Amino acid sequence: MIASEDGSAPASNEEAKQPSSKKVRKTRKKGATSRKAAQPKSRKKRISRNFPASSFEEALEFARAIFRIGSGSPVRRLTLFNELGKSPESSASRLMITNANRYGLTSGGYQAEQLQLTADGLHAIDEEASSRERAKARIKLAIEDIEVFKGLYDRFVGNKLPARAVLIDAATELGVEDSAVEEAVDTLIVNLKFVGLLQTLSGAERIVTIDHLLDSVPSTPAPSAPISVVSVSKEVKSLVTAEHAHFETTCFYVAPIGDAASSLRQHSDLFLGSIIEPAVEPFKLSVIRADAIDKPGVITKQIIEYLLKSRLVIVDLSHHNPNVFYELAIRHMMRLPVVQIIRSADRIPFDINQMRTVIIDDSDIYSLVPKIESYRSEISTQIRRALEDPDSVDNPITTYYPALKASLN
């Protein structure tokens, strides 16, 4: 037997060959800790899309800006964004270029010196072309040239708009990743509606054939339809307290509320329960309306707190309620994400009519009910854009004072 170097009792030859289980466990634990420390921090997984990350209508607006500024000729990228009042290097600007490219409207990437419209892009915005030719170009770019949208359209054309779950299953079969499948379905529905392939027939929204659409479009030149947007709603949830509100997971719904039995309350309840809550649900946000705040005290202070801190605010401009516009102005000053909706019977005030607004036709039950699903998709699309890039918020304040931003102490 040989004495150990530290003077402790010597170990037998067999013991020396086989270290104790405690020693092994300690060694393994140390090794595991080292490996864990060596692992890089997990990053937010990027969503992989096999379709553009915006609606066709939004990309078309960007193409129109290129045409307007360049009069049909190529435009320097820096000049374009200077005219638009946006930073050419911002993520929002890069996304606009990428989406217009993916829809085939423009050529030239976000690092290109010049951007220009493609031949199809010119046809899609050409006001001097016939309505039929313009419609054909838009259908080609928005649906037919996007593989997953074309696959979904071919599968369901001629039928009623399927249940959302059916569309999601079909999109998954066509190779859309789980993380992007809700967005793919929303974008498809919004695109179909914009190009005219989703129509209300016999009391239901139906996906019509291209021939059916083109037969109803005049062959003579005519101005394109004005751009519009969509809206949302569901039942009022149980009362919550401001102390327990988690603003990062809150969507504050600003709307004309009125007394319990008033027409204003019926309007607000209908939009909230039938459109807004279903549209917000995929984003894991809780929808809160002012009458659901059960904290004693000055209600105005609580409302302002929600306006300043909520991750998202949806504003219903219907009925032109003064309090609604006051609260919208507070949110604008904070430069935080906002989605605007309004009923079709009301005019969007001049000051904010450049803001994308979801317009909901609630003139009668026969106009509203068939379109509820497409309204939900439109509002979901606006929510997605607002939450993905909150720093690119556009409102009258950011337009004229881009460096101005209020902050909480």
Side-chain angles (χ1 to χ4, degrees):
M1 298 180 68
I2 302 173
S4 62
E5 292 182 0
D6 62 0
S8 59
S12 66
N13 291 337
E14 289 299 318
E15 289 173 334
K17 292 178 181 177
Q18 298 181 4
S20 68
S21 59
K22 181 185 286 187
K23 195 171 183 180
V24 171
R25 287 196 299 271
K26 186 175 181 181
T27 303
R28 288 176 178 170
K29 184 177 181 182
K30 182 178 180 182
T33 304
S34 299
R35 288 192 299 272
K36 185 176 180 181
Q39 291 176 351
K41 292 182 179 179
S42 61
R43 295 181 179 179
K44 185 179 179 181
K45 185 179 178 182
R46 294 185 63 182
I47 298 176
S48 177
R49 303 176 177 89
N50 54 351
F51 57 92
S54 79
S55 68
F56 178 73
E57 181 182 7
E58 291 174 287
L60 193 68
E61 290 179 11
F62 182 64
R64 284 197 185 106
I66 293 176
F67 183 82
R68 183 180 70 252
I69 294 169
S71 300
S73 300
V75 180
R76 289 184 69 246
R77 179 173 57 88
L78 298 180
T79 301
L80 172 66
F81 285 103
N82 182 60
E83 290 292 325
L84 295 176
K86 300 180 182 295
S87 167
E89 304 303 330
S90 70
S91 59
S93 297
R94 292 187 175 200
L95 191 61
M96 283 193 284
I97 296 173
T98 300
N99 290 331
N101 267 253
R102 296 191 72 177
Y103 275 119
L105 286 162
T106 62
S107 61
Y110 58 77
Q111 292 182 329
E113 183 176 347
Q114 291 189 322
L115 303 174
Q116 65 180 27
L117 297 177
T118 63
D120 286 334
L122 280 168
H123 288 145
I125 65 171
D126 187 1
E127 300 298 333
E128 295 183 1
S130 70
S131 298
R132 184 172 300 172
E133 289 303 312
R134 194 164 56 245
K136 287 170 65 176
R138 293 181 179 186
I139 291 168
K140 178 180 183 296
L141 297 174
I143 304 296
E144 293 183 302
D145 287 354
I146 309 299
E147 184 177 354
V148 62
F149 295 165
K150 178 68 161 57
L152 290 169
Y153 174 74
D154 288 344
R155 184 174 299 193
F156 298 111
V157 63
N159 300 311
K160 289 171 57 177
L161 183 67
R164 187 174 184 82
V166 174
L167 285 169
I168 288 174
D169 288 344
T172 302
E173 292 174 12
L174 290 170
V176 181
E177 290 190 1
D178 291 345
S179 60
V181 70
E182 293 266 4
E183 180 180 354
V185 169
D186 287 334
T187 306
L188 170 72
I189 293 174
V190 171
N191 284 1
L192 287 173
K193 183 174 182 179
F194 179 73
V195 300
L197 292 176
L198 186 63
Q199 298 182 5
T200 304
L201 301 171
S202 303
E205 285 195 303
R206 301 178 185 275
I207 301 174
V208 302
T209 65
I210 295 174
D211 288 341
H212 174 89
L213 171 64
L214 295 180
D215 285 345
S216 64
V217 176
S219 58
T220 55
S224 57
I227 298 172
S228 60
V229 196
V230 151
S231 122
V232 294
S233 155
K234 200 167 178 178
E235 291 180 6
V236 181
K237 290 186 175 179
S238 58
L239 296 177
V240 297
T241 63
E243 289 86 354
H244 293 90
H246 301 287
F247 293 109
E248 274 301 303
T249 58
T250 295
C251 168
F252 189 47
Y253 176 41
V254 176
I257 299 175
D259 297 329
S262 67
S263 59
L264 283 180
R265 178 65 64 88
Q266 292 176 332
H267 162 90
S268 184
D269 286 352
L270 176 64
F271 275 26
L272 177 62
S274 300
I275 311 174
I276 292 178
E277 285 186 337
V280 172
E281 185 177 0
F283 305 95
K284 312 300 181 187
L285 299 178
S286 300
V287 181
I288 302 297
R289 196 173 62 183
D291 58 321
I293 304 172
D294 192 30
K295 178 184 175 182
V298 181
I299 190 67
T300 303
K301 179 180 182 296
Q302 299 162 39
I303 291 175
I304 291 175
E305 188 174 24
Y306 275 92
L307 293 169
L308 299 181
K309 298 180 180 179
S310 295
R311 188 177 178 200
L312 175 71
V313 167
I314 294 177
V315 180
D316 184 0
L317 306 174
S318 304
H319 298 280
H320 289 185
N321 183 279
N323 287 345
V324 168
F325 288 98
Y326 176 83
E327 293 167 28
L328 175 61
I330 294 174
R331 187 70 174 183
H332 280 177
M333 180 61 72
M334 297 304 296
R335 297 185 64 168
L336 294 172
V338 175
V339 173
Q340 294 181 180
I341 68 173
I342 194 170
R343 61 176 188 164
S344 59
D346 293 317
R347 179 182 58 83
I348 305 174
F350 171 79
D351 307 77
I352 54 174
N353 66 3
Q354 298 302 310
M355 305 286 297
R356 187 172 292 276
T357 305
V358 178
I359 301 174
I360 302 175
D361 184 1
D362 67 342
S363 54
D364 57 60
I365 191 172
Y366 308 106
S367 300
L368 176 64
V369 172
K371 297 180 180 179
I372 283 181
E373 188 58 43
S374 62
Y375 289 150
R376 291 173 183 168
S377 290
E378 288 184 70
I379 199 68
S380 291
T381 299
Q382 297 309 313
I383 292 172
R384 190 172 290 108
R385 297 287 84 78
L387 296 183
E388 282 184 351
D389 193 3
D391 292 332
S392 65
V393 170
D394 277 332
N395 64 53
I397 293 175
T398 63
T399 298
Y400 297 108
Y401 296 95
L404 179 63
K405 182 178 181 180
S407 61
L408 298 174
N409 293 327

